[in-house]
Amino acid sequence: MQAIILVGGLGTRLRPVTYDTPKALVPIRNKPFLGYTIDLLREAGIDGMVLSLGYMPDPIQSYIAERDDLDGFTVDYAIEKTALGTAGGIKNAERFLRGDGPVVVLNGDVLTGMSLRAAIEQHEAKGARATITLTSVEDPTAYGLVEVEHDMKVRRFLEKPSSDEITTNLINAGIYVLDREVIRSIPADQEVSIEREVFPHLQEGGGLYAHVSSSYWRDIGTPRSYLAASNDVLSGAVGAGEDFDYLEVDSSVSVGKNAKILPPVVVGLGCRIGDLATIGGRVSLGKNCRIGAGAMVEGSIVLDGAVIEDGAVVRGSIVGKDVRVCRGAIVRGLSVLGAGSVVGEGNVLDLGIRLNPKVELAPRSVSF
Ligand code: GTP
C-alpha cells in the first residue's frame, strides 16, 4: 500500500521558520519532521509514499536522497508548478500510484502515535469511499469540527463554531484513507480543497466515514504547536519513546565549568556550552550552537549555528539558524527569530514577536 504525503504548502503560520525550511523539514529533536511521518508509515507496513510537493521541493528531495535506510520503501515526487490545494495535490500525485487499492493520505505537518492500520481496517470493514481520522481537542472553537453518526458516518462539518453551537470536540486529524475512485473524481490541474470541496460532496452521498483516534496528535503548523510538539517528543509522549530523563549530548559537545544541562534535552553535534550556562526545561539545540557563559536557555528550540551570548536568556521561544542573541538580551514569550537575525545587546523580545530573517536589532542601553 502507498501513501500520499501533502507537503506542498507555504507554511505561512510558521514563518519566519518556514522562509528557509519547508515545514516538512523543521527539526524536532534534531530530526527533520518528515522522518517522523516516514516512521509512522513504515510502522503501519506501508511500503511507499508519493510526496506531493510545491513550496521548496529541493531540500525535501535532498533529505530523501541522503537517507540510506529506506530500502524497500519507495518514494516518488509529484511537484506542482502552482499551488493546487490539498485535493489538487492528491490528484497530482495520482500518476505515481500503483495497483488499485485504497490510499492513505497524510498532511505532512501532523505528529501522531495513531495506528494507520486501524484506520485502514475500519475503512475496509465499513465499505467507505473515504475515511477521515478525527481527534478530540480541548478547545474546539478554533477548529473545523466533524459530527459523527453512531455508525461512524460523517453527519456534518461545522466550521469554527461559536461556543453555543458546539456539539462535538472532534476535529479532522489530517489523515485520510481514500478509495481510488475518489481520487479519480478530483478535477485535474486546478486548485481543489479536500476539506472544503471533496469531503462535503462525499458526505452528501453517504460514503464518508470517520475513524476516531485517542492517540497522541498534534500538528506543527504554528510556533506554539511546533514548540509543544518538540517538548512532547523530548519528554517521550510520542516519537522516539524515550523517558522523561532523555539527555543526548554528543562527545563532540564541549561543556564549560559548572554549566547545567537538565533533561530532557538534546544538544546537537559540535555545540559549545559556556561556564555556568543553564540549559533545561525541554530544550533542543541544533548543530554547532554556542551558548555563552552564564546564558540560560529554557523550553526552547534553537536551530543550527545559533549563538546565545554571555548572560543572554532564551525562554519558551524558537531561535532560527545562525541567529545571534547578544550579551544580556532576553528572548521569551514564544518569540520566533528568523535565520541570521541579530538581537542586539539589552533588547527584550516578548509576546510572540517574530523577527524576519537577517533583521538586526540595534543594541539598547539598559538602565537600572
Ligand atoms: P499555512 O500557510 O500556515 O496554513 O500552512 P500550510 O501551507 O501548510 O497549509 P495547511 O496547514 O492548511 O496545509 C495542510 C497540509 O497540506 C500541509 O502539510 C501542507 O504542506 C499541505 N498543503 C497545503 N496546501 C497545499 C498545496 O497547495 N499543495 C500541496 N501539495 N500540499 C499542500
Side-chain angles (χ1 to χ4, degrees):
M1 186 181 221
Q2 281 166 288
I4 296 173
I5 315 297
L6 293 165
V7 285
L10 293 173
T12 47
R13 288 165 301 148
L14 197 53
R15 286 177 182 166
V17 179
T18 44
Y19 277 129
D20 63 306
T21 308
K23 193 161 48 170
L25 293 187
V26 298
I28 290 202
R29 219 193 79 179
N30 287 346
K31 165 168 155 177
F33 191 75
L34 186 55
Y36 294 88
T37 308
I38 294 173
D39 292 346
L40 186 74
L41 298 178
R42 297 187 97 181
E43 269 160 35
I46 289 169
D47 51 21
M49 65 178 179
V50 186
L51 288 172
S52 174
L53 300 157
Y55 176 65
M56 295 185 82
D58 297 350
I60 299 178
Q61 288 177 281
S62 304
Y63 165 70
I64 297 292
E66 282 161 18
R67 281 196 56 163
D68 52 11
D69 59 343
L70 294 178
D71 291 351
F73 185 82
T74 62
V75 184
D76 294 283
Y77 305 100
I79 305 177
E80 289 156 30
K81 290 189 190 76
T82 58
L84 294 174
T86 43
I90 296 169
K91 183 69 179 176
N92 194 43
E94 185 182 29
R95 61 207 144 105
F96 294 103
L97 297 175
R98 300 180 292 274
D100 211 32
V103 175
V104 177
V105 176
L106 283 93
N107 282 355
D109 58 357
V110 166
L111 179 68
T112 182
M114 186 184 292
S115 160
L116 299 181
R117 265 288 130 217
I120 296 161
E121 279 162 18
Q122 188 200 301
H123 177 85
E124 283 167 352
K126 293 282 181 192
R129 296 179 68 203
T131 299
I132 314 185
T133 63
L134 307 181
T135 187
S136 58
V137 288
E138 267 173 36
D139 174 16
T141 49
Y143 295 90
L145 306 181
V146 186
E147 275 183 14
V148 181
E149 308 273 8
H150 289 299
D151 63 357
M152 301 312 288
K153 268 195 180 142
V154 172
R155 183 190 296 145
R156 69 170 176 148
F157 295 97
L158 284 158
E159 207 35 58
K160 299 200 175 101
S162 59
S163 45
D164 56 331
E165 289 169 325
I166 289 174
T167 49
T168 174
N169 64 349
L170 293 174
I171 65 160
N172 177 350
I175 299 180
Y176 320 118
V177 187
L178 303 181
D179 271 3
R180 292 291 268 281
E181 42 135 340
V182 170
I183 301 179
R184 246 172 252 132
S185 70
I186 299 170
D189 303 322
Q190 55 181 277
E191 192 174 346
V192 188
S193 158
I194 192 142
E195 302 89 340
R196 290 189 301 278
E197 295 169 74
V198 177
F199 287 152
H201 177 71
L202 281 170
Q203 186 275 330
E204 279 169 23
L208 183 62
Y209 283 77
H211 172 78
V212 179
S213 166
S214 56
S215 300
Y216 175 94
W217 180 91
R218 194 186 284 287
D219 76 36
I220 57 154
T222 64
R224 184 180 299 282
S225 57
Y226 174 35
L227 198 51
S230 170
N231 289 344
D232 291 342
V233 170
L234 282 172
S235 48
V238 69
E242 270 87 5
D243 60 24
F244 190 75
D245 291 332
Y246 185 70
L247 178 68
E248 184 181 308
V249 182
D250 188 84
S251 58
S252 62
V253 172
S254 80
V255 181
K257 260 193 275 163
N258 295 325
K260 278 196 219 127
I261 302 182
L262 310 169
V265 142
V266 58
V267 180
L269 299 179
C271 284
R272 283 183 291 148
I273 315 238
D275 296 347
L276 290 165
T278 305
I279 297 174
R282 298 183 185 139
V283 169
S284 168
L285 291 187
K287 279 186 288 190
N288 300 320
C289 294
R290 191 160 62 74
I291 311 298
M296 175 183 276
V297 183
E298 214 180 77
S300 297
I301 299 171
V302 179
L303 300 178
D304 295 355
V307 176
I308 317 294
E309 291 186 352
D310 297 356
V313 174
V314 174
R315 183 173 283 148
S317 293
I318 300 170
V319 175
K321 287 181 202 160
D322 302 318
V323 163
R324 192 149 61 92
V325 179
C326 297
R327 292 166 75 95
I330 297 176
V331 175
R332 64 187 177 204
L334 209 57
S335 298
V336 189
L337 312 183
S341 59
V342 177
V343 181
E345 271 181 43
N347 279 281
V348 178
L349 304 189
D350 200 350
L351 302 174
I353 198 159
R354 299 191 193 197
L355 222 55
N356 274 336
K358 300 205 168 116
V359 165
E360 297 195 12
L361 294 183
R364 291 171 77 97
S365 55
V366 189
S367 50
F368 294 97

